[in-house]
Amino acid sequence: MRALGLASAVLLLGSLASACAPAAAPDAPPIAAVHRHQCGKCHAPPSPGSHSREEFADAFGRHQKRVHLTQEEWQAMIDYLAPRAN
């Protein structure tokens, strides 16, 4: 019984931690909040810079059937997650 109670507590704490995701930095663009909210519904939101522009564009092409954003929001998401090289 004790092991079951401990396992339940661990699961509860894990779910609370994910529900209390940190807010975007104050200087983050508005699309950062959309990123956290929309991407976080189904999986861990990818970190900015974690993939190339092409990889994000390909993935977002598949996500457009499920996640309803405007074309401008999709472009802003790509620009936020994979900024253009200088």
Side-chain angles (χ1 to χ4, degrees):
M1 279 312 263
R2 228 175 139 179
L4 180 60
L6 180 59
S8 296
V10 168
L11 288 174
L12 176 63
L13 288 175
S15 65
L16 288 175
S18 64
C20 299
D27 60 341
I31 197 67
V34 176
H35 166 251
R36 273 192 336 279
H37 176 73
Q38 291 294 340
C39 298
K41 285 182 178 179
C42 299
H43 55 79
S47 300
S50 62
H51 300 285
S52 70
R53 291 183 75 77
E54 293 77 21
E55 290 170 319
F56 279 120
D58 182 55
F60 293 166
R62 294 187 306 273
H63 284 71
Q64 286 180 348
K65 294 175 185 166
R66 295 184 300 279
V67 181
H68 303 288
L69 301 178
T70 67
Q71 284 305 112
E72 293 80 16
E73 288 171 319
W74 283 114
Q75 188 58 54
M77 188 81 71
I78 291 172
D79 292 342
Y80 170 65
L81 294 173
R84 295 187 192 280
N86 291 332

